[in-house]
Amino acid sequence: EEEEAAVEKQPDSEIKLEPPRRQISFQYMMKQLFSSHRFQIGVVCLVILDALLVLGELLMDLKIIRPDRYNITPKVFHYLSLSILTIFLVEVGFKVFVYRREFFHHKFEVLDGIVVIVSFILDIVLIFREHEFEAVGLLILLRLWRVARIINGIILSVKTRSEQQVSKLKQANVKLATRVEQLEHSCVEKEQEIERLNNILKQHRLLTQQK
C-alpha cells in the first residue's frame, strides 16, 4: 500500500516540478534573445526608423514640409511611430519579467523604460487631444520628447553592444589564461619526463655511449 501511495504521489511531484523548469527555460531563451547580435541590430533599425518618422512629423508640424490635402500623411507617420513604440513597450515588459530585480540595477534600462512608458501614454493622449496640444503649443515639445527617447534608445543599444563585446573579451581572456596555464603545466611535465629519461639513460650508460 505504501508503494502504491508513493507511485500515486510521484506524478503530482513531477507536475509541480514542470512549471519552474519551463519558466527557467523561457527566461533563459529570452535572455539569449536580448543579448543576441541580431536582436540588437533589429532594435537599432527600429530606432532609426522611428527617428525618421518623428523627424517627418516635426517637419510637417513646423510647416517645412506641407502634408497632403487630407492630412493623412501625418496620421500614418504617427501610427507607424506608435506601433514601433508599442514594440519597445512590450520589450520593456519582457525585460522586467525576465530579469526581475536585476533589471532595476541598470540605470540606462530603467531610464529607457520610463521614457518608453511616458512616450506611449503621451502618444495615446495625443491621438484624442491633438487639437488641444496644438492650441497650447505643446505638440512640438512632445515630438522633441520622442527625439529624447530615440537618442536614449541609441545610447542604450550602443552601451549594450559594448558591454557584450567586453564580456566576450573577458571570456576569451579567461580561456586564453586557462590554456596558457595548461601549456605551462604540460611543459613542466615534459621537462620532468625528459629528466627522468635522461637519468635512466645515465644509469644504463646509454647516454655516454651516444656521446
Side-chain angles (χ1 to χ4, degrees):
E1 292 179 356
E2 291 179 356
E3 291 179 358
E4 292 178 356
V7 171
E8 292 177 356
K9 290 181 180 179
Q10 188 174 0
D12 294 334
S13 62
E14 289 178 357
I15 292 172
K16 291 179 181 178
L17 288 174
E18 283 181 1
R21 288 178 182 174
R22 289 179 181 176
Q23 189 175 5
I24 291 172
S25 63
F26 175 75
Q27 289 179 343
Y28 177 77
M29 285 184 350
M30 292 303 296
K31 286 182 180 180
Q32 291 293 108
L33 175 64
F34 290 143
S35 60
S36 65
H37 180 63
R38 293 181 179 179
F39 181 81
Q40 295 301 322
I41 291 177
V43 170
V44 172
C45 291
L46 286 176
V47 169
I48 293 173
L49 179 59
D50 194 21
L52 294 175
L53 293 172
V54 173
L55 179 61
E57 289 182 281
L58 269 173
L59 293 175
M60 283 184 282
D61 291 337
L62 296 172
K63 308 300 181 183
I64 297 174
I65 296 178
R66 297 290 178 180
D68 58 289
R69 182 182 299 178
Y70 300 101
N71 208 28
I72 296 176
T73 305
K75 292 181 179 179
V76 172
F77 277 34
H78 182 74
Y79 282 113
L80 286 175
S81 182
L82 184 60
S83 300
I84 295 173
L85 192 60
T86 304
I87 295 174
F88 290 141
L89 185 66
V90 172
E91 177 199 358
V92 171
F94 272 110
K95 282 185 176 180
V96 173
F97 172 75
V98 170
Y99 292 101
R100 306 296 174 92
R101 293 181 180 179
E102 184 183 351
F103 175 84
F104 299 98
H105 295 162
H106 299 277
K107 296 180 181 179
F108 277 96
E109 294 282 359
V110 175
L111 178 62
D112 183 67
I114 293 173
V115 174
V116 167
I117 293 171
V118 173
S119 299
F120 184 80
I121 293 173
L122 291 176
D123 270 24
I124 295 296
V125 173
L126 182 62
I127 293 175
F128 301 100
R129 304 286 183 179
E130 184 175 359
H131 297 292
E132 296 179 10
F133 278 100
E134 286 180 350
V136 182
L138 293 177
L139 190 59
I140 295 176
L141 185 61
L142 289 179
R143 306 290 188 217
L144 293 175
W145 172 261
R146 290 295 306 278
V147 172
R149 152 75 190 107
I150 292 166
I151 294 173
N152 184 69
I154 294 173
I155 292 173
L156 182 62
S157 299
V158 173
K159 182 177 179 294
T160 303
R161 184 60 187 159
S162 62
E163 286 179 350
Q164 290 176 359
Q165 290 178 349
V166 170
S167 177
K168 288 180 180 179
L169 289 173
K170 287 182 178 179
Q171 291 177 359
N173 189 24
V174 170
K175 289 181 180 179
L176 288 173
T178 304
R179 182 58 179 164
V180 168
E181 186 177 354
Q182 291 175 350
L183 290 173
E184 289 179 348
H185 182 69
S186 178
C187 288
V188 171
E189 289 181 345
K190 290 184 185 308
E191 288 177 355
Q192 292 175 352
E193 182 67 18
I194 290 170
E195 186 177 356
R196 187 181 67 84
L197 292 173
N198 284 333
N199 290 331
I200 293 174
L201 290 172
K202 288 178 181 179
Q203 289 177 0
H204 293 82
R205 297 180 180 178
L206 296 174
L207 189 62
T208 54
Q209 290 178 4
Q210 289 179 353
K211 291 180 179 179

